Amino acid sequence: MPDHPAHWPGYRPEDTGTGIVHLGLGAFARAHIAAYTDGAIAADGGDWRIIGVSLRGADVANVLNPQDGRYTLIERGEKPQARVIASIAGVIAGNGLSDRVLTAISDPGCRIVSTTVTEKGYGLLRSGGCDIGHPAVAADLLNPSSPRGVLGLIAQGLALRFANGLAPFAVLCCDNLPENGPLLRAAVVDFARRAHGPALADRIAAEVSFPATMVDRITPASTARTLADAEALTGYKDRAAVETEPFSQWVIEDDFPSGRPSWEKAGALFVPDVAPYEKMKLRMLNGSHSMLAYAGFLSGKTYVCDVMADAALNSLVRRHMTAARATLPTVAMDLDAYAASLCARFANPAIAHETRQIAMDGTQKLPQRIFAPALEMLAHGGDVAPFAFATAGWMRYALGRDDGGSSYPLNDPREAELQAALAGSGTESPAAVFSALAAMPDLLPEALAEGTFADETIRRLERMLSLGMEKAIAAEAE
């Protein structure tokens, strides 16, 4: 084997069995849970390799399966570092997906079913339960024995295990959702009750573990450069290579009745209550990310590092983190150091994280990232300006055209609703735009739709529309 600067697996994958089925095997999953699992197996062994499931198409399977699940993970710091990850045993996709996934998750060896499908992929309601209008949920309710959606697969898989006298698997949500474990539990139980009846729903509620987690690792989309660097660092062509930042964080509620990998030996933190860490990340990292994505995209900044190189935007990012911090409970971390590390990560020029990528799915992200801390700040009489600026930036983005008049897709699951709401609002009127978007159901809380927060947001939106985003940013940063 050529002498290349890459780290190779510290175990023989062929001698290691599977114990995890992962739904939604995108780039983040390969940079996060698969990397942690690879490290855990190398450190402490165990039959914990992953059977991946691609719910959106066969692309991931087509590149990973010919490589026996192996791929290169490139960490882009001052110098790129490469690891060859071997924790994925194979990927299920395409024809016969339902039967093949159900076979995998009802196998006695499966002890964990993990997920990274983004909030819109589940078909769940933030208020609790499943969204019966979601296409995958609606289809699986009609045919619960052959599901293709996340909730349907989990419910039917548990039904098969119970019918065969097997212990249930733990369900591990690894998406950025508030209280993601309990939220997914409520959705699965509700789906099971509707599709299978109360007996299964009650057993799931009583017997199945849904540990909460907090995940953090910036993972931009792979490019031709990713593949070229993987070949240079490993000596092999790799069509499945992934790139990410050196930083990684995983906080997990330790509730795995049938066992788990030794993820702590790969750097994970097990805690009795994930909520404070989750809130810290959602508000300081994700909240500032959303703010900079809208302001940055609309001011011509392609990448996050471009945003941080702009003095005015840099100061607004730091201001947002300070405001978000003021709404947080106590955590066993130095939040000043955390904020500094976030700014350093955002400024990393080796990570090509596009602002338009972060701007996706705003209706799903802003309630917990921006609106929740804004509500708390308002209730305590604090300065809501940072959150009003972020909200105004999103509303300006929702118009679907930049200052030069060029249009762009919103890439939001409620895009049609947004467009319908704005169609008759008179898009040159900041107050009309605010009112139209504030009136959308299940989005802006009532306390933010009027009074001080509304006034602060409309004032900033007026600047963005009349002065243009660059001048509005400069005025905000003064």
Side-chain angles (χ1 to χ4, degrees), residues 408-430:
Y408 48 82
L410 301 185
N411 292 322
D412 190 289
R414 299 180 69 178
E415 184 165 355
E417 279 185 78
L418 290 166
Q419 292 171 338
L422 291 167
S425 68
T427 55
E428 301 307 316
S429 166

Side-chain angles (χ1 to χ4, degrees), residues 126 361-368 370-372 375 391 394-395 398 412 414 417-418 421 434 436-449:
R126 286 193 295 270
D361 305 334
T363 58
Q364 307 294 299
K365 295 173 178 176
L366 265 62
Q368 61 265 25
I370 304 297
F371 303 153
L375 271 176
T391 303
W394 169 71
M395 290 183 168
D412 190 289
R414 299 180 69 178
E417 279 185 78
L418 290 166
F434 179 89
L437 297 177
M440 287 179 60
D442 302 318
L443 191 58
L444 194 68
E446 186 176 345
L448 301 182

Side-chain angles (χ1 to χ4, degrees), residues 79-415:
K79 293 183 178 180
Q81 302 289 324
R83 288 173 60 188
V84 175
I85 305 295
S87 58
I88 295 175
V91 184
I92 297 170
N95 295 332
L97 181 142
S98 179
D99 289 343
R100 293 159 65 200
V101 175
L102 291 173
T103 297
I105 65 179
S106 61
D107 186 275
C110 175
R111 287 156 284 169
I112 297 170
V113 171
S114 53
T115 62
T116 48
V117 298
T118 74
E119 180 170 351
K120 64 184 177 182
Y122 290 96
L124 51 76
L125 300 172
R126 286 193 295 270
S127 56
C130 67
D131 178 4
I132 60 174
H134 187 278
V137 174
D140 288 350
L141 285 172
L142 291 175
N143 191 13
S145 62
S146 298
R148 293 185 62 87
V150 176
L151 305 184
L153 287 166
I154 292 172
Q156 177 66 2
L158 289 167
L160 292 172
R161 293 183 75 92
F162 288 142
N164 291 326
L166 297 174
F169 45 72
V171 182
L172 185 67
C173 178
C174 300
D175 276 303
N176 283 319
L177 297 170
E179 299 183 336
N180 56 10
L183 194 64
L184 184 52
R185 178 200 300 273
V188 172
V189 169
D190 185 30
F191 179 92
R193 194 174 305 279
R194 294 172 185 272
H196 299 274
L200 178 62
D202 291 346
R203 282 201 72 177
I204 293 173
E207 300 178 30
V208 181
S209 165
F210 288 78
T213 69
M214 185 271 271
V215 297
D216 187 6
R217 193 167 215 189
I218 296 170
T219 308
S222 297
T223 65
R225 180 191 173 198
T226 312
L227 306 189
D229 286 353
E231 183 173 0
L233 291 164
T234 65
Y236 294 92
K237 289 187 180 296
D238 181 357
R239 297 172 59 212
V242 175
E243 64 177 73
T244 189
E245 64 174 332
F247 179 91
S248 183
Q249 189 173 38
W250 198 10
V251 183
I252 313 170
E253 179 187 3
D254 200 355
D255 186 13
F256 296 85
S258 296
R260 60 168 176 78
S262 297
W263 282 317
E264 69 276 15
K265 293 187 178 179
L269 175 65
F270 285 91
V271 299
D273 184 10
V274 171
Y277 298 89
E278 171 191 86
K279 192 172 286 188
M280 174 193 75
K281 191 245 180 173
L282 280 170
R283 296 184 179 186
M284 290 185 68
L285 187 157
N286 298 126
S288 59
H289 240 183
S290 287
M291 182 279 289
L292 71 83
Y294 299 119
F297 177 83
L298 290 168
S299 59
K301 305 295 188 292
T302 302
Y303 300 110
V304 174
C305 59
D306 300 330
V307 171
M308 298 304 288
D310 181 282
L313 280 168
N314 188 302
S315 70
L316 292 179
V317 170
R318 294 174 187 275
R319 181 188 72 161
H320 192 98
M321 289 182 190
T322 299
R325 174 184 172 175
T327 71
L328 294 176
T330 300
V331 293
M333 285 182 61
D334 181 340
L335 292 182
D336 285 337
Y338 181 63
S341 74
L342 292 180
C343 290
R345 293 165 62 195
F346 291 175
N348 182 354
I351 295 294
H353 203 183
E354 295 190 32
T355 52
R356 66 171 182 172
Q357 180 184 0
I358 303 165
M360 293 172 60
D361 305 334
T363 58
Q364 307 294 299
K365 295 173 178 176
L366 265 62
Q368 61 265 25
R369 296 182 179 193
I370 304 297
F371 303 153
L375 271 176
E376 292 183 24
M377 186 69 85
L378 188 67
H380 291 91
D383 183 10
V384 296
F387 305 111
F389 178 77
T391 303
W394 169 71
M395 290 183 168
R396 171 66 188 83
Y397 175 84
L399 295 177
R401 53 174 172 76
D402 62 22
D403 289 338
S406 298
S407 61
Y408 48 82
L410 301 185
N411 292 322
D412 190 289
R414 299 180 69 178
E415 184 165 355

